[in-house]
Amino acid sequence: MMVVMNVEATKDQIDAVITRVEANNFNVILNQGEERTVIAVVGTNPSVIREQLMYMPGVDHTVPISRPYKVASREFIPANTIFPLDGFMIGGDEVVIIAGPCAVENRSQVLESPYAVKEAGAHALRGGAYKPRSSPYSFQGLGEEGLEILAEARELTGLPIVTEVMAPELVPLVARYADVLQIGARNMQNFALLHAVGECDKPVLLKRGNSALIEELLMAAEYILSHGNRRVILCERGIRTFETTTRNTTDINAIPVLKSLTHLPVILDPSHSTGHADLVIPIARAGIAAGADGLIIEVHPNPKEAMSDGGQSLTPEKFATLVKQIKAIARDVGRK
Ligand code: PEP
Ligand code: MN
């Protein structure tokens, strides 16, 4: 339930509502809008205290929040969440492109392409130092050494770093190096990990699990938001269907659906959603046309030799083509 305060409500009146809510063993989440304050009352069946709250001084009206996710919902926060990331904004007019290899393999591989991706127009650099591989015998990532290489790439290019964190105990370490913490599809419902990134002060890129409902993705985001970390980016990265020609099936629907249900930025990962380098550009175009706020793209200096996801990785040249085409579509749909 939301308690919508009136425009003239005083701080004392807002505090009195909060005190009353907490005295009834419900939790409070505040949205201090420019015009008025809205207080979300969360817990089991908050409508039992509706009558107590609706006549308190300063209260305009109360409304139920119909969705199970609260802070993530557009009902509670109608305006788009837009936040800065080293020199650009995510969630605003500009379409943001994150690019780089699937995994950090060695120094020269990472330090060879960041200039090319930066020059082509990437806003941020991706690369996994901790890799969630389907097989325990596949390359698992370089760990902290990989993070150091990413930090070096940031020093050289000025591009912020997006990298995956796979376990709660690794959050402090990864957060020391990364500008954005990625939660991979396989960990979308790792609640201990969601709590841990919710407590940290870095933005989080939350990928949709490959069998997760849109509502489950939003509930996973809610875990992070409920800890006070409001800088969450959602990522559609394909879901598992009966179709096996492509690695996953890009759920293009999810983009406008998410944009209508939540104020959080939504990006698309056409590399994992298709699994084929040849499909990345067309599906990236579709994602931006459908209203995505950005893209995350796997780019490798030599895809044939990649230690993971080479088949879906673009060369830096192909990536430059993608950026050019995306910019044109972005303009056509009223973005930058
Ligand atoms: C990745 O970004 O390299 C990755 C492992 O993605 P996902 O979690 O979407 O499979
Ligand atoms: Mn990958």
Side-chain angles (χ1 to χ4, degrees):
M1 177 175 64
M2 285 187 288
V3 179
V4 182
M5 302 303 292
N6 62 40
V7 178
E8 292 92 36
T10 63
K11 184 172 179 309
D12 283 351
Q13 290 171 336
I14 295 167
D15 287 346
V17 172
I18 294 172
T19 305
R20 181 74 64 87
V21 170
E22 289 175 344
N24 282 276
N25 295 319
F26 289 98
N27 291 317
V28 155
I29 302 166
L30 272 189
N31 179 21
Q32 242 136 3
E34 268 175 28
E35 203 172 79
R36 58 171 93 221
T37 297
V38 179
I39 301 165
V41 181
V42 292
T44 307
N45 198 12
S47 61
V48 296
I49 57 165
R50 177 161 177 255
E51 296 231 335
Q52 278 191 52
L53 300 174
M54 63 197 269
Y55 302 113
M56 288 184 74
V59 173
D60 192 88
H61 62 282
T62 61
V63 239
I65 304 178
S66 62
R67 311 285 178 186
Y69 43 89
K70 309 296 176 193
V71 193
S73 76
R74 269 218 197 264
E75 288 172 287
F76 182 50
I77 302 179
N80 285 338
T81 289
I82 304 173
F83 55 85
L85 262 176
D86 266 357
F88 62 91
M89 304 294 271
I90 183 139
D93 282 347
E94 190 172 7
V95 164
V96 163
I97 305 181
I98 303 161
C102 176
V104 176
E105 297 166 7
N106 54 59
R107 234 176 129 259
S108 62
Q109 166 241 10
V110 172
L111 301 181
E112 198 176 317
S113 52
Y115 302 105
V117 296
K118 184 182 180 177
E119 224 164 85
H123 297 78
L125 194 63
R126 63 148 290 152
Y130 296 89
K131 293 305 302 176
R133 304 305 302 280
S134 302
S135 164
Y137 308 116
S138 302
F139 175 59
Q140 303 287 308
L142 294 181
E144 189 167 1
E145 188 191 340
L147 297 174
E148 282 165 4
I149 295 171
L150 289 169
E152 206 176 325
R154 179 182 40 215
E155 279 297 302
L156 289 171
T157 61
L159 292 176
I161 300 296
V162 180
T163 195
E164 179 159 354
V165 57
M166 281 173 47
E169 62 275 16
L170 287 172
V171 170
L173 173 72
V174 179
R176 269 211 309 278
Y177 291 92
D179 298 285
V180 178
L181 299 174
Q182 177 174 324
I183 302 292
R186 292 156 190 81
N187 272 319
M188 189 202 84
Q189 284 184 318
N190 179 337
F191 297 113
L193 184 57
L194 299 176
H195 284 298
V197 296
E199 291 290 336
C200 95
D201 64 352
K202 289 285 165 85
V204 177
L205 170 57
L206 176 64
K207 299 187 94 178
R208 180 182 183 183
N210 77 354
S211 298
L213 301 176
I214 288 173
E215 186 165 294
E216 289 168 333
L217 171 62
L218 290 166
M219 290 306 284
E222 190 76 13
Y223 267 87
I224 302 169
L225 298 165
S226 69
H227 282 272
N229 188 347
R230 299 279 180 101
R231 294 184 294 169
V232 177
I233 305 160
L234 303 175
C235 180
E236 164 60 38
R237 46 76 74 208
I239 51 173
R240 183 167 289 185
T241 67
F242 56 80
E243 181 55 70
T244 55
T245 312
T246 50
R247 182 176 180 184
N248 289 292
T249 296
T250 308
D251 184 5
I252 285 288
N253 296 2
I255 295 166
V257 169
L258 284 167
K259 291 299 295 179
S260 76
L261 295 176
T262 182
H263 48 87
L264 297 171
V266 176
I267 69 169
L268 175 67
D269 174 348
S271 307
H272 291 87
S273 80
T274 64
H276 294 272
D278 288 349
L279 302 178
V280 169
I281 293 181
I283 300 306
R285 293 194 301 242
I288 297 307
D293 296 301
L295 298 166
I296 179 165
I297 307 286
E298 287 186 338
V299 180
H300 194 284
N302 189 357
K304 284 202 178 72
E305 279 172 20
M307 291 173 86
S308 66
D309 289 348
Q312 66 193 35
S313 298
L314 299 186
T315 58
E317 296 73 34
K318 277 266 164 59
F319 175 69
T321 305
L322 175 144
V323 175
K324 223 178 274 161
Q325 296 189 4
I326 290 309
K327 283 196 170 154
I329 292 177
R331 272 193 301 274
D332 283 350
V333 294
R335 314 283 297 251
K336 280 194 269 181

